[in-house]
Every structure is written in C-alpha cells, then in structure tokens.
Amino acid sequence: MRVAFVAPGDFETTSGGFRYDRRLVASLRETDDVSVYSVPWRRYPLSLFDAPATPLSRFSTDADVVVVDELAHPTFAVRCAGVREDHTPVVALVHHLRCDERGPGAPLAREFERRFLARVDAAVCTSSATDAAVRDLAPDPALPTLVAPPTADQFDPDVSPTAVDARATESPFRVVFVGSLVPRKRPLALVDALAALEVPWEATFVGPQPNERYASRVGRRCRRRGVDGRVTLAGALPTAALETVLRRAHVLVLPSRHEGFGIAALEGMGFGLPAVVTQSGGATDLVTHGENGFLVPPDGVGAVYAALSALATDRTRLARMGRAALTRYRSHPPWPETAARTRTFLARVASDPSSAAEPPLEAT
C-alpha cells in the first residue's frame, strides 16, 4: 500500500499529537511505502489563505490513500474535493476537532471542519469522544471511522501497587501538570486551585512554553497568589527528567478546555497517579470519576480544587485511586494492536471506502 501522509508544519513538533503521527508512520513503514508531506501551519485561520495553492490532489499522484492530520484542515477545507476526481481516497486523522476547543474562533472552525469532513472518505479518531464529535459534525452520517487510541509507552514505569501505597503517605502533596503552557490547557486554573489548598504541597508544570508572554502571565499569577516558591515552571523536559517528576508525584492534573485523548493522563496512570482531567474530550475513555481520577468541567476552578483537596487530605483514598489508575494503564490496548487495526482500516479504504466501517477499538 502506498500512503501519502500530510501533516501541518514541522513533523518533528513536540506534542502528543505529532508523536502519535510519527509513530503511526513508523509502524506503517514496516510494511508499506509511506511518504510524509508538510503543509503551512499558521495562526488560525490564516491557513485558509494557503488553500488555493495546496490542493490535496497534489499529494495523491502516487498514493493509494492520503492520510491528513486534521490540524491541516484549513488548508484543504475548500480544495480536497479534487482528490476524489482521480479516485484516491482521503482519510482524516483526527486527534480532536478544533471547534471543540471552544473560544471565539470555534464557529469559524466548525464551519471549515464540517466542509473538510464532507470531502474525506473516512476518519481515524484517537478517542471515542472524538469519534462521536466527528460523526456528529460530518455531513455524511455513514462516514466510516475507526477509534485508534495512542499508547503511553514513552516510559517503562514498572511501578508496583506497594510502591503506590508507600508514596501516598509522603509529604508534601506533589502535583504535576504535563502539557504545553497555553490557555487551552488552563494552567491558571490549576494555580488558583493550588493556592486554595490548606495542606503542604508543591507542583511542577512540565511542557513547552510556546508563548513567552503567556508563560510570563502564569509566573505572575503564581507570584500574585503567593505560591511561586512552591510552583516550578520546568518547561519541556527530556524523558528521563520527566520520569523522575512522575515517579515522585501524587497526582497528575490537566484541566484543559478540551483534550482529544489526553496521553499525559495515561502516562501518569502508568506511575500510579490518579488523573484530574477535563470531562470534555477523550480523557473520558481513561478516567472513571471517583475511581481512578476525577473528571472536572472545562471551566471554573472549584472542581479542580475539590479533587485535589480530596486526595491531599485522604491519603488512603489517594492510594486506592492510585492503584486503580495503575490497573487502568495496564489494561490499555498495546500499540501493535492499534497500529495493525489502523493499517487494516486504511487498506480497506484504499480498496473500497464504502466497506471500511468496522466496530471501534474498545478501551478496556
């Protein structure tokens, strides 16, 4: 099978979504011919102006199927119809829909994402929540989709339930945030929730800081709330350093407005960390509220504070939920299974798009 994989911007970008893309390409290359193409990725919605110069048919000449990371939808929302004229099917790889991030740009994103989905033949989605959102937005209710979740194997945690129990008794209460320091991830909400805690605590924020002004704003919020001595804005860390942070932490918090999957939550679970994550998006595939973590609204601070306070003040509960998080991590589908099912799906689309539909990969 010949695959043209189209991604926005730099394919080596540091993020969970691009890491997924690179891993999928590597797996497909074990059996197939895969070419990777980059298209402009500018501040939304400036990419719309790149559409006249970048039709998808440009990538389909020597391909049996074209896979497009949905982040590139502004470039193709108008022009990808041309691919169907030469019978090369198009598959959208959807980590999450931009319109689900909400905010002032959501209505415009919704319109162009709807146009994009109207012109693809199938979609691979990284969570059941994203799959449902795609099915809801796509004009064709019969659009074939596959749920193909990522796997958290950046680390080899080898954490035992006994270690989780022992760590739960330690002080201070240690919180880790793993994600880009951007408004969508809501680090300011976490700072405000931490400031209200009445027990000793410390927190580490790990992740790229793409907007220096916003990172400075987070620092100012820490100082204004009087917690700058207990919050470390670590920036992006290499794998070994991040592993050290996760091994010491008690809980992982990512109160985003929306997450397509939430790979950081799954990675934290591998270390026995309950996850406090948004109820908007794919984290609902991972977290059972009150069992292995907490699902919080994508706005406000109160629920984040309540979740942290519940764990910080009840270490027996912290240990129990940490063990449950570890169990959930160990039951997650391995990457070879996800990759094999994705390849089969793409091959079906390449041969006959109308026959590609199959039951989603269930999270266990």
Side-chain angles (χ1 to χ4, degrees):
M1 179 170 60
R2 298 169 302 169
V3 181
F5 194 102
V6 183
D10 183 358
F11 195 58
E12 298 302 318
T13 297
T14 301
S15 75
F18 278 97
R19 192 167 70 202
Y20 180 102
D21 290 0
R22 290 191 294 270
R23 187 148 194 219
L24 179 59
V25 166
S27 295
L28 291 172
R29 281 176 170 165
E30 294 176 2
T31 54
D32 302 288
D33 180 7
V34 183
S35 299
V36 176
Y37 301 94
S38 176
V39 296
W41 191 25
R42 298 194 286 165
R43 182 170 58 84
Y44 200 83
L46 294 179
S47 298
L48 292 170
F49 297 104
D50 299 314
T54 321
L56 265 176
S57 54
R58 164 183 160 190
F59 309 107
S60 64
T61 305
D62 297 315
D64 299 309
V65 62
V66 179
V67 179
V68 184
D69 187 308
E70 196 272 346
L71 280 175
H73 80 265
T75 304
F76 302 117
V78 178
R79 296 295 299 274
C80 61
V83 176
R84 289 189 172 184
E85 295 172 4
D86 58 23
H87 309 293
T88 304
V90 179
V91 177
L93 173 55
V94 190
H95 299 282
H96 72 271
L97 294 173
R98 187 180 184 93
C99 62
D100 286 337
E101 297 180 13
R102 305 190 301 170
L108 180 65
R110 182 177 181 84
E111 173 59 23
F112 281 99
E113 286 179 313
R114 185 191 64 79
R115 293 187 189 185
F116 175 68
L117 292 173
R119 292 169 168 81
V120 303
D121 298 277
V124 173
C125 305
T126 58
S127 71
S128 60
T130 298
D131 181 79
V134 166
R135 289 174 180 271
D136 180 64
L137 186 60
D140 181 2
L143 180 74
T145 63
L146 174 73
V147 177
T151 302
D153 53 7
Q154 179 181 189
F155 309 99
D156 182 16
D158 193 26
V159 173
S160 69
T162 300
V164 172
D165 288 345
R167 184 181 60 200
T169 66
E170 297 174 359
S171 187
F173 182 63
R174 296 186 287 269
V175 177
V176 60
F177 168 103
V178 180
S180 297
L181 211 65
V182 295
R184 179 173 68 86
K185 304 284 186 177
R186 299 183 65 232
L188 295 176
L190 177 53
V191 170
D192 289 343
L194 288 166
L197 287 180
E198 297 178 349
V199 299
W201 59 266
E202 60 184 38
T204 305
F205 288 56
V206 180
Q209 300 178 5
N211 186 321
E212 185 175 334
R213 291 181 63 185
Y214 186 75
S216 297
R217 182 182 175 189
V218 175
R220 289 195 301 273
R221 179 68 64 88
C222 291
R223 291 190 293 274
R224 187 159 62 247
R225 298 305 301 266
V227 300
D228 50 307
R230 289 183 282 175
V231 173
T232 300
L233 302 179
L237 294 178
T239 297
L242 176 55
E243 179 172 343
T244 298
V245 173
L246 292 173
R247 284 192 183 279
R248 294 187 68 250
H250 290 114
V251 60
L252 184 141
V253 187
L254 192 59
S256 307
R257 289 200 297 264
H258 185 84
E259 286 290 339
F261 180 76
I263 188 66
L266 184 60
E267 289 175 336
M269 286 178 163
F271 292 88
L273 306 185
V276 179
V277 292
T278 180
Q279 62 191 22
S280 174
T284 54
D285 284 355
L286 301 172
V287 175
T288 301
H289 185 75
E291 179 180 315
N292 56 22
F294 293 96
L295 296 169
V296 298
D299 48 28
V301 175
V304 180
Y305 163 76
L308 292 176
S309 181
L311 295 172
T313 59
D314 186 344
R315 297 308 184 94
T316 299
R317 185 179 191 182
L318 174 62
R320 182 175 69 251
M321 293 180 70
R323 293 193 302 270
L326 198 60
T327 298
R328 176 62 186 86
Y329 170 83
R330 291 173 175 172
S331 70
H332 192 72
W335 177 256
E337 178 181 341
T338 297
R341 294 181 74 254
T342 303
R343 188 201 177 278
T344 298
F345 182 76
L346 294 178
R348 288 177 179 172
V349 174
S351 62
D352 181 5
S354 64
S355 69
E358 65 169 332
L361 177 60
E362 297 292 341
T364 54

